């Protein structure tokens, strides 16, 4: 698979994702969805500038800067997702003839599984932070593009739900039950928080559209 980055075309990414190659897969697609959520939030903020919005200039600027950082982080996570899969496949190919080789292979696989969990975990946090920023400007941003802010919120939650599936499928391979429980507790809290912020944001979006 050729190296992916934000510099690739959408068509190239879709072709790679649709191919028989295992990467880019769901983790990379989740990162892209979150970046699109950041783009919609940033667009809404960028169109909420000028004399009419002088009183919220600082808040709007904070959101624009935050979305730029989040988008960069999403690109890094897309790459990290591919690398974590390659790490797992490398561990899977390790020899397992002797007891020592088996122990080393098992350790390497579990290390790779944790790496594969950590990437979507970080994406969940990105989605939570992005949604929080969108919520911060939902009542004050340009009403003419408020639907785009709502779309950004939906994309952030979709990315988070997708990332959660990636966490779950890797958790199934994690042997340390205490570590597994810790991840399950953390993801449950994050996804609950994300859903609540998204619901509150969309409620305000729909209210502003109706009024």
């Amino acid at each position: 698979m050729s190296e992916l980055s934000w510099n690739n075309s959408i068509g190239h990414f879709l072709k790679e994702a649709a191919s028989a190659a295992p990467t880019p897969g769901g983790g990379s697609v989740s990162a892209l969805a979150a970046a699109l959520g950041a783009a919609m939030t940033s667009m809404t903020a960028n169109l909420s500038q000028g004399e009419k919005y002088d009183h919220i200039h600082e808040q709007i600027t904070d959101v624009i800067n935050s979305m730029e950082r989040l988008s960069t982080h999403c690109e890094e996570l897309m790459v990290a997702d591919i690398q974590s899969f390659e790490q797992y496949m490398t561990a899977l190919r390790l020899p397992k003839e002797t007891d020592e080789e088996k122990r080393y292979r098992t350790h390497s696989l579990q290390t790779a599984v944790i790496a594969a969990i950590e990437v979507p975990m970080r994406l969940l946090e990105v989605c939570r932070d992005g949604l929080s920023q969108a919520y911060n400007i939902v009542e004050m941003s340009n009403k003419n593009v408020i639907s785009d802010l709502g779309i950004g919120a939906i994309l952030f939650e979709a990315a988070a739900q997708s990332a959660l599936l990636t966490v779950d499928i890797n958790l199934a391979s994690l042997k340390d039950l205490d570590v597994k429980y810790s991840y399950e507790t953390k993801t449950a809290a994050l996804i609950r928080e994300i859903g609540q912020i998204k619901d509150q944001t969309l409620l305000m979006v729909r209210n502003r559209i109706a009024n």
Side-chain angles (χ1 to χ4, degrees), residues 22-51:
T23 58
S28 299
V29 170
S30 301
L32 178 59
L36 290 171
M40 288 294 90
T41 304
S42 185
M43 186 190 82
T44 304
N46 274 304
L47 289 170
S48 302
Q49 297 189 95
E51 186 177 345

Side-chain angles (χ1 to χ4, degrees), residues 27-114:
S28 299
V29 170
S30 301
L32 178 59
L36 290 171
M40 288 294 90
T41 304
S42 185
M43 186 190 82
T44 304
N46 274 304
L47 289 170
S48 302
Q49 297 189 95
E51 186 177 345
K52 181 180 177 180
Y53 302 99
D54 276 349
H55 63 293
I56 58 168
H57 174 74
E58 186 175 338
Q59 290 157 290
I60 292 297
T61 301
D62 284 345
V63 169
I64 293 169
N65 291 337
S66 293
M67 291 307 107
E68 185 175 348
R69 289 193 297 271
L70 287 183
S71 182
T72 298
H73 199 179
C74 287
E75 182 177 16
E76 291 168 353
L77 290 174
M78 180 183 74
V79 174
D81 176 74
I82 294 170
Q83 290 173 339
S84 69
F85 177 81
E86 291 172 348
Q87 180 182 349
Y88 182 81
M89 293 305 296
T90 298
L92 203 60
R93 289 190 288 266
L94 288 171
K96 49 181 177 178
E97 298 299 322
T98 68
D99 288 342
E100 184 177 349
E101 286 176 346
K102 288 176 182 177
R103 283 193 297 270
Y104 180 71
R105 181 176 180 274
T106 298
H107 173 75
S108 298
L109 281 169
Q110 290 300 293
T111 300
V113 166
I114 288 175

Side-chain angles (χ1 to χ4, degrees), residues 1-2 4 11-25:
M1 191 210 77
S2 58
L4 288 174
H12 174 72
F13 183 92
L14 293 176
K15 184 178 180 180
E16 292 282 355
S19 74
T23 58

